[in-house]
Amino acid sequence: MNLKRFFGGLLTILGIIGLIYTAVIFAGTSGETRDIKSLIIYGILGIVFFTSGISLVRTTKDES
């Protein structure tokens, strides 16, 4: 089992969860400053986790 590929998959899943949570907050926002800050924080973290996970999975060589 390749540990890098597993960690990349885990980061990708966390990124997807972060982006979905951002969408849920966006759908229920009322425009307050706290809502906008949480949108930015969760959105940026979701994008960073998702892109790093995808790149880690793509660049890891498959060793059987």
Side-chain angles (χ1 to χ4, degrees):
M1 183 172 158
N2 200 345
L3 190 60
K4 284 185 183 179
R5 192 171 282 261
F6 174 74
F7 189 64
L10 182 67
L11 282 175
T12 304
I13 291 171
L14 286 175
I16 291 171
I17 290 171
L19 291 173
I20 290 173
Y21 189 64
T22 302
V24 168
I25 292 175
F26 180 73
T29 188
S30 61
E32 296 178 11
T33 306
R34 192 188 81 199
D35 293 336
I36 295 172
K37 285 181 184 178
S38 63
L39 274 172
I40 292 171
I41 290 170
Y42 291 128
I44 289 174
L45 284 175
I47 289 171
V48 167
F49 282 2
F50 183 74
T51 55
S52 65
I54 290 292
S55 67
L56 191 59
V57 169
R58 286 181 53 195
T59 59
T60 304
K61 301 293 182 201
D62 197 16
E63 299 172 1
S64 295

